[in-house]
Structure formats: C-alpha cells, structure tokens
Amino acid sequence: MSKPLVLYTAATPNGHKVSIMLEELKAAYGNIDYDVEKINLATNVQKEPWFIAMNPNGRIPVLVDRSHPTAAQPNGFPVFESAAILLYLIQKYDKEGKFKFESGSDEESQMLQWIFFAHGGVGPMQGQSHHFRQYAPEDVPYGKKRYGDEVVRLYGVLDIGLQGRDYLVGPGAGKLSVADVNVMPWVRLHDRAGVETLDAFPNLKAWLNRLLERETVKAGMAVP
C-alpha cells in the first residue's frame, strides 16, 4: 500500500535534509510514513519530462504529498526545493510545534533567518567548494580558495549563532528545529569543502556531534 508521502531523492546534503526531517516527524508522531524513490543523478533521470512535471528545476529532492491531490496533480501535490519541503512538512505535519515556533513570534523569524542564511549561503557556497575540490575536470586554485574561504566564513557565522546554545533557535539553549536540520547535512561534509576539522569552531563542532548522535538523524542519513 502506498504511503501518504513519497520522497524522490539521492544521497546528497539537500536530499538528507528532507529524509532526516521525515524521520524526526515519524519518531515524534508515529503516524507519518513515506516511500522513497531513489534518483540516479548520473543518468540524468531528474531531467526527464516526468520529473520536470514535478520540479521544473530538474533537481532532487522532490516530495509528493499523496494525501493532497489537485486537479493539476491528481497523484499528489509536489513540493520542490529542500528548504521549501522542510517548511511544508512542519506546517502540515508538525501539529504540536515540536520542530517549529509559534506563528508570528520572534523565534519563528529567527528560524526563518537561519533557514535563508543556509539556503542562500552555506549550501550554494559549499556546493561550489565541493565541485572545485572533488569534481572539476581541471585544477582551478582560484575557485578552491574563493569558495573554501567563504565556507570558513559561513561556519564562523554559525559558530557565533551557537555560542552558549545547543541549537540555533529557541529560548535558553534552544530546541532542535527545522533550522538545524536545514544546514546540518552540509556541515557534516566539511572535509569535502577543504575544512579538515571543525576545531576552530567549537560551538559548531559540538552542535554537529550532538545531531549526529540522534537515531533519527542516523536513519535519515541512510536514505536512500
């Protein structure tokens, strides 16, 4: 029997954001489950017409909510862009606000600030650093330095934000929220961006280790 949600994904930081969030919701509420469709990026299946119909950008991840069919999408409502998927999930499925904050509150604004910071900064810059260090067909020292230096700067911002805190947002030491889930899979791959150790960022290092110890995070990282 098909489950209410289906995730089209691959083993990338953006893909893992969503699978981790789904595992957190499943553990918290018990009545949330999803199917997984693994996308082989090497074959460019994500550029085929059936996929483009769900995401015109032709990239993973895509979440399809089968419980919400529409006239245009009778098989379920598709959501693309990893941060948008996370927000969709907490808006629709986090009924008790375990991973979000009260609408209109300062904490909700702070959560969104960190989400946009990561989505517009950490992800793109680290992605470029990965490219020039791991995949570029020729050695481009300028590209390595430019994007590597920017990743270091962004990690410094996160380290400041985590000063005296366990999580990015929330009263006191904070609570795990979608803001943390949105950026952690990128930071986990810091070595691929040329940052061999997080020792220079003790708050960020402790935060990453704290998240990686969660069984839900381990389960989400194993998808697909």
Side-chain angles (χ1 to χ4, degrees):
M1 179 180 294
S2 296
K3 296 170 184 176
L5 301 167
V6 56
L7 176 63
Y8 295 85
T9 192
T12 72
N14 286 333
H16 285 149
K17 292 182 193 181
V18 179
S19 54
I20 289 170
M21 192 73 256
L22 285 164
E23 290 295 329
E24 291 286 355
L25 289 167
K26 185 163 71 170
Y29 291 99
N31 61 348
I32 297 170
D33 208 353
Y34 63 103
D35 288 320
V36 175
E37 293 289 343
K38 182 177 179 180
I39 299 299
N40 186 346
L41 301 178
T43 64
N44 271 336
V45 65
Q46 71 277 14
K47 306 300 183 184
E48 294 178 2
W50 69 271
F51 195 95
I52 295 296
M54 298 186 298
N55 178 5
N57 198 30
R59 295 187 175 186
I60 63 94
V62 172
L63 181 80
V64 174
D65 189 344
R66 293 171 171 143
S67 72
H68 179 36
T70 68
Q73 297 284 355
N75 293 324
F77 183 69
V79 189
F80 68 92
E81 285 296 323
S82 57
I85 296 172
L86 297 185
L87 291 172
Y88 178 87
L89 285 171
I90 62 168
Q91 288 164 357
K92 185 162 183 179
Y93 292 99
D94 185 13
K95 299 299 186 183
E96 298 176 16
K98 295 182 178 182
F99 305 102
K100 62 181 179 181
F101 301 91
E102 182 180 356
S103 178
S105 66
D106 290 348
E107 289 82 7
E108 183 189 52
S109 176
Q110 290 163 352
M111 179 188 80
L112 292 171
Q113 289 170 48
W114 283 114
I115 288 173
F116 289 126
F117 165 80
H119 206 66
V122 178
M125 295 301 101
Q126 192 161 335
Q128 290 294 332
S129 185
H130 288 186
H131 172 78
F132 283 107
R133 290 178 176 275
Q134 307 290 330
Y135 306 111
E138 59 185 87
D139 185 34
V140 186
Y142 174 78
K144 290 180 179 178
K145 184 176 189 310
R146 171 178 170 80
Y147 292 109
D149 287 352
E150 182 63 2
V151 169
V152 169
R153 187 189 74 80
L154 294 168
Y155 282 4
V157 175
L158 286 166
D159 198 64
I160 293 169
L162 288 163
Q163 179 69 43
R165 307 181 59 81
D166 290 340
Y167 302 103
L168 285 167
V169 185
K175 74 172 185 180
L176 176 69
S177 76
V178 68
D180 302 286
V181 174
N182 185 56
V183 70
M184 187 282 292
W186 282 107
V187 179
R188 186 183 74 91
L189 298 180
H190 58 84
D191 56 331
R192 294 191 187 179
V195 184
E196 295 184 6
T197 173
L198 293 179
D199 289 348
F201 311 102
N203 304 317
L204 184 63
K205 182 177 181 180
W207 167 87
L208 177 62
N209 290 335
R210 186 176 303 114
L211 286 169
L212 290 175
E213 290 172 358
R214 296 176 65 87
E215 292 303 317
T216 42
V217 170
K218 293 176 185 178
M221 294 296 303
V223 176

